[in-house]
Amino acid sequence: MDEMTIDRQPRQMTGAQMVVQAMRDHGVAHLFGYPGGAVLPIYDAIFQQDEVKHILVRHEQGAGHAAEGYARSTGKPGVVLVTSGPGATNMVTPLQDALMDSIPLVCITGQVPTSLIGSDAFQEADTVGITRPCTKHNWLVKSVEDLAEILHEAFHVATSGRPGPVVVDIPKDVQFATGTYLPPAASHATERYHPKVSSDAGRIRAAVELMASARKPVLYTGGGVINSGPEASRLLRELVALTGFPITSTLMGLGAYPASGEKWLGMLGMHGTYEANLAMHDCDVMVCIGARFDDRITGRLDAFSPNSKKIHIDIDPSSINKNVRIDLPIIGDVANVLRDMVAAWKETGAACDAEALAEWTRRIDGWRARNCLAFNQKGDTILPQHAIRRLYELTKDRKTYITTEVGQHQMWAAQFYGFEEPNRWMTSGGLGTMGYGLPAALGVQIAHPDALVIDIAGDASVQMTMQEMSSAVQYGAPIKIFILNNQYMGMVRQWQQLLHGNRLSHSYSEALPDFVKLAEAYGGVGLRVEKEGDLDGAIREMIDVTRPVIFDCCVANLTNCFPMIPSGKAHNEILLPDEASDEAVANAIDAKGKALV
């Protein structure tokens, strides 16, 4: 009997060894973690093997975001190992972040021995109770004989259907105990969760008929296209080529269709383009693919695309009719649905009214002519939009991955960095987690050691998880932290200026560190640019450095991010930069002050 056959047989091992073996069996190459008393048996098992590489972070939140970056850039589940109590509670933010953005995470937490659960023992917390609202599912393992099955089910649940985070909470005595390990093929882990992945042929035909009848169609795509894998992005591009439909995307869907594509409208939503938002408002048939109609996209719900028939393709049935009434729902995996849709379009010889589609294109071109992302870079002071545009031009021909923190810089990155491929853009969309980008960049760099990985950051956000620079230095991960330093919490300051009478309450970043010295203190490289003429040369130097870099790009302090749809307003009430005086914004925003950041 060969070794591979032996490895597939049930065998005896400790609970700690089961955790490591399950990772091997599920193809885990890296995990991110931080040791503590309640997971020391698992760490001892990790020490005694070299197949699964452990990346030591400096804070458990950093482990979660690093695992998110790893997962989003690879399509594989990110894996995290943390201890009980504060180790587990520090994971709550990345778990909720992953839940809202549909990122597959498997988080393994230690727990006090089963005999002490409920006694307020040292570093005890009700991890299952705390994480129940921010995971797809979680488990408290009470017997070592249940552990292997639960571990296999955890990987299955995290990666099947709509991806998301799961937690397996393992008491310390279960880690020490010896039991029977069943490999995935011998378990029943996949029997309890069966998401619908294939589409209904009748609904596909109905969708094709409705699309062919459209005179003003639009494709509205989201992160679900990317989650479905590279085949989904390829099929999406084919569908656009077949139909001639214009296409827009949410923040999470950037890269599924190339930014250089002829039919690309730009990003949709609160800080999306004029042409994307007006097309969504005026279209007569909307095809939503792998998106969930969140408030940053829809604006005022009762005014959202009021005259359109809506097709919604999603693997998650709970997303259908959750926020917006749908005329034709199609539940299934995006790649499967698009494959069937493309085939049906070809088989039926479907085609739109060419004259109507041409007129729709001319109308969109008129909106595009407004040049809503225009800016005027002049003089020495660097505009943040210009900084992102130059970063894009100098890195677009490389294998580049972009992560971001959260704020104005995030929106400028989405607007001015053109993504041609899926899985190259990692950002916190649903939760809007400041501090996401730096550890996410670490996770991406671990997964893609030869790639250029850049975190586009703000001076406020980046300080929330700056300690992960230490991990980057330790593991030789040459991430680049490109800070747009405007000395403010930029998006907070923008809303205070426009909505709260310019009363800038605690949004000025006082006592900022010297980022160059901070980089050097960690063992990295620090660069600072204050004048536009020095920008390109410094970016090239940043790219060439083979160590972690903090790039302090000093930009105009009070630049605002436009276009902007004020919260509670419709797409056709979008404000462009030339219209966006304080008075105009104040008049556009609800007089009762209901607008939210």
Side-chain angles (χ1 to χ4, degrees), residues 45 83 113-114 125 131 139 160 168 211 226 270 362 409 412 490 569 584:
T83 195
T114 52
T131 63
W139 298 261
S160 301
V168 181
M211 291 163 66
I226 294 172
M270 178 174 281
R362 284 192 291 272
H409 62 274
W412 283 317
K569 294 297 180 180

Side-chain angles (χ1 to χ4, degrees), residues 16 20 41 87 91 120 157 172 241 358 366 377 389 419 485 487 548 562:
V20 177
M91 269 296 297
D120 292 333
V157 171
K172 195 169 184 179
Q377 172 63 50
R389 177 58 69 186
F419 294 94
N485 186 348
Q487 298 182 299
F562 290 103

Side-chain angles (χ1 to χ4, degrees), residues 74 87 118 123 134 141 147 201 238 280 297 379-380 384 423 430 433 440 455 470 491 508 559 573 580:
T74 63
Q123 290 194 332
C134 56
V141 184
L147 180 55
E238 184 176 358
M280 283 287 280
I297 295 300
D380 285 337
N423 303 104
T433 305
D455 170 31
S470 178
M491 194 63 83
Y508 179 63
T559 305
E573 297 174 281

Side-chain angles (χ1 to χ4, degrees), residues 249-585:
S249 167
T250 67
L251 181 74
M252 297 302 295
L254 296 177
Y257 184 81
S260 62
E262 179 187 358
K263 299 299 181 180
W264 178 238
L265 298 175
M267 184 178 71
L268 177 70
M270 178 174 281
H271 291 287
T273 66
Y274 186 72
E275 53 267 31
N277 283 303
L278 269 291
M280 283 287 280
H281 187 270
D282 285 358
C283 70
D284 64 352
V285 173
M286 175 196 305
V287 186
C288 174
I289 309 173
R292 57 187 177 85
F293 295 96
D294 72 285
D295 64 295
R296 298 283 120 155
I297 295 300
T298 62
R300 195 173 86 238
L301 278 172
D302 63 2
F304 172 68
S305 194
N307 299 313
S308 67
K309 295 289 186 181
K310 299 174 181 67
I311 301 168
H312 188 185
I313 301 167
D314 206 293
I315 200 167
D316 181 8
S318 71
S319 292
I320 304 295
N321 289 316
K322 183 176 183 179
N323 298 322
V324 171
R325 190 186 70 81
I326 300 303
D327 298 284
L328 179 55
I330 302 176
I331 298 170
D333 177 74
V334 165
N336 291 340
V337 174
L338 287 179
R339 186 179 298 109
D340 293 344
M341 188 173 281
V342 166
W345 189 276
K346 291 178 179 177
E347 289 168 7
T348 60
C352 289
D353 182 323
E355 188 174 329
L357 195 57
E359 174 58 31
W360 180 231
T361 300
R362 284 192 291 272
R363 191 172 178 192
I364 289 171
D365 287 342
W367 293 325
R368 187 180 279 118
R370 294 291 299 270
N371 199 12
C372 68
L373 297 179
F375 60 90
N376 184 18
Q377 172 63 50
K378 58 182 179 180
D380 285 337
T381 301
I382 302 169
L383 290 181
Q385 302 98 314
H386 178 70
I388 300 297
R389 177 58 69 186
R390 294 312 304 155
L391 181 68
Y392 167 68
E393 292 295 339
L394 294 169
T395 60
K396 65 181 181 180
D397 295 327
R398 297 170 176 265
K399 185 180 180 182
T400 304
Y401 294 81
I402 299 294
T403 71
T404 77
E405 310 296 336
V406 169
Q408 286 179 318
H409 62 274
Q410 177 190 28
M411 295 297 102
W412 283 317
Q415 291 173 341
F416 292 99
Y417 200 101
F419 294 94
E420 299 295 306
E421 300 178 47
N423 303 104
R424 298 295 182 88
W425 165 248
M426 276 59 61
T427 195
S428 175
L431 194 60
T433 305
M434 295 174 71
Y436 169 91
L438 198 163
L442 172 65
V444 174
Q445 192 77 79
I446 294 298
H448 308 277
D450 298 325
L452 176 62
V453 181
I454 303 171
D455 170 31
I456 297 175
D459 52 270
S461 279
V462 76
Q463 293 188 78
M464 289 197 168
T465 52
M466 178 60 77
Q467 69 277 355
E468 302 310 332
M469 275 294 289
S470 178
S471 296
V473 170
Q474 177 179 343
Y475 292 99
I479 59 175
K480 321 298 184 185
I481 312 303
F482 190 82
I483 302 173
L484 297 183
N485 186 348
N486 60 11
Q487 298 182 299
Y488 282 94
M489 300 174 200
M491 194 63 83
V492 174
R493 193 271 312 150
Q494 176 170 334
W495 279 81
Q496 288 176 334
Q497 175 191 344
L498 302 178
L499 182 62
H500 297 283
N502 205 33
R503 292 180 293 276
L504 307 185
S505 179
H506 301 281
S507 55
Y508 179 63
S509 298
E510 296 188 59
L512 281 175
D514 182 325
F515 286 112
V516 172
K517 290 181 178 177
L518 188 59
E520 293 169 350
Y522 277 115
V525 173
L527 301 171
R528 178 181 292 116
V529 170
E530 299 177 355
K531 297 181 179 181
E532 192 279 331
D534 299 329
L535 182 60
D536 281 17
I539 291 175
R540 290 189 181 97
E541 183 180 354
M542 176 191 77
I543 293 169
D544 291 340
V545 170
T546 57
R547 285 189 287 158
V549 175
I550 296 179
F551 188 109
D552 188 9
C553 185
C554 301
V555 299
N557 298 88
L558 299 176
T559 305
N560 283 332
C561 185
F562 290 103
M564 182 180 79
I565 302 174
S567 285
K569 294 297 180 180
H571 285 164
N572 62 342
E573 297 174 281
I574 187 171
L575 294 172
L576 300 183
D578 57 349
E579 304 167 339
S581 66
D582 292 0
E583 182 179 0
V585 175

